Amino acid sequence: SQKIEQNSEALNIQEGKTATLTCNYTNYSPAYLQWYRQDPGRGPVFLLLIRENEKEKRKERLKVTFDTTLKQSLFHITASQPADSATYLCALDRQSGGKLIFGQGTELSVKP
Amino acid sequence: DAGVTQSPTHLIKTRGQQVTLRCSPKSGHDTVSWYQQALGQGPQFIFQYYEEEERQRGNFPDRFSGHQFPNYSSELNVNALLLGDSALYLCASSVEGYGYTFGSGTRLTVV
């Protein structure tokens, strides 16, 4: 069956460092991979979408890579800030606007 | 520009009861999807509506049903509630080529 795994442990880093979150998947061939941020008690907020034919995408301090051979995506936040503390979700999609399959999320804590 | 609006924000129901959750999509979005999120887990896809028809469905029983209205708003109905239905129910709307816009969700507690 399809499986998506994100860093199971919470990630604690110091302000100013780069946070790197991992998303691995099996038994799936996504056309799109998306990253979301979720704060407690709120809905996920869309951050970045990367297509299967793209290797890397950037937006301000965020960078996503997508390796369809390794079946892995890496999500980087550079110059991290305490305000970046949240749970980050990886989601896969075979078609734009279709059914999303989410990972369980990685909780990131950035300490001042 | 209002994003996705969900109501109510919180709800407490008794086992066996029925519940209806409501969602208004973001302006310009015509596709609405519903997700269930248990504590500490990622959202799980329930179903998606487009042009008032159910377009895709996840692995949820028939107790979960939905509807989309001509103005693109949507309802999620759950019959014969079980304790295990307690979760955050999220509505999301989208346009092709972009990510979803999620609402803040409805927290359903079944007692």
Side-chain angles (χ1 to χ4, degrees):
Chain A
S1 62
Q2 301 156 354
K3 195 173 181 183
I4 302 173
E5 284 189 355
Q6 298 186 239
N7 309 56
S8 55
E9 299 292 326
L11 192 60
N12 297 299
I13 65 167
Q14 206 66 32
E15 182 175 8
K17 301 292 186 185
T18 296
T20 299
L21 285 65
T22 304
C23 174
N24 294 294
Y25 60 92
T26 56
N27 298 325
Y28 201 71
S29 298
Y32 301 85
L33 188 145
Q34 303 180 30
W35 283 88
Y36 289 80
R37 168 188 172 135
Q38 187 171 28
D39 292 286
R42 307 300 302 266
V45 174
F46 171 71
L47 297 174
L48 280 170
L49 177 152
I50 187 166
R51 294 170 173 78
E52 61 180 335
N53 61 350
E54 297 176 317
K55 296 293 184 188
E56 181 180 300
K57 187 164 266 190
R58 292 173 186 260
K59 178 183 174 184
E60 296 171 356
R61 295 185 295 112
L62 308 180
K63 184 177 89 170
V64 174
T65 63
F66 192 13
D67 189 326
T68 55
T69 301
L70 289 179
K71 294 187 181 296
Q72 181 181 78
S73 173
L74 298 178
F75 177 77
H76 306 272
I77 305 174
T78 58
S80 60
Q81 305 165 1
D84 295 326
S85 298
T87 295
Y88 290 85
L89 296 160
C90 158
L92 306 181
D93 189 1
R94 273 209 187 94
Q95 66 182 80
S96 174
K99 161 186 173 181
L100 285 178
I101 301 176
F102 281 89
Q104 80 276 23
T106 297
E107 187 176 348
L108 172 68
S109 179
V110 181
K111 303 295 183 189
Chain B
D1 173 30
V4 175
T5 305
Q6 291 189 244
S7 63
T9 54
H10 295 84
L11 204 51
I12 299 175
K13 289 285 190 178
T14 304
R15 276 179 297 176
Q17 284 190 314
Q18 177 263 345
V19 68
T20 297
L21 310 182
R22 295 177 175 82
C23 171
S24 292
K26 183 175 180 178
S27 177
H29 289 188
D30 56 8
T31 302
V32 172
S33 303
W34 287 91
Y35 289 80
Q36 180 194 66
Q37 187 175 25
L39 215 56
Q41 301 295 316
Q44 298 244 326
F45 177 78
I46 303 175
F47 41 53
Q48 183 182 81
Y49 278 84
Y50 173 70
E51 292 189 339
E52 302 179 52
E53 296 285 333
E54 184 182 288
R55 185 159 71 171
Q56 292 187 75
R57 188 177 182 92
N59 191 24
F60 278 80
D62 292 345
R63 298 186 297 107
F64 289 76
S65 63
H67 190 78
Q68 186 180 35
F69 299 93
N71 66 353
Y72 308 126
S73 67
S74 178
E75 287 181 351
L76 163 66
N77 300 292
V78 187
N79 294 321
L81 285 166
L82 304 173
L83 294 179
D85 295 331
S86 296
L88 181 67
Y89 287 85
L90 296 163
C91 172
S93 66
S94 60
V95 289
E96 187 169 346
Y98 294 88
Y100 283 77
T101 299
F102 280 84
S104 290
T106 295
R107 171 69 63 186
L108 173 65
T109 303
V110 183
V111 297

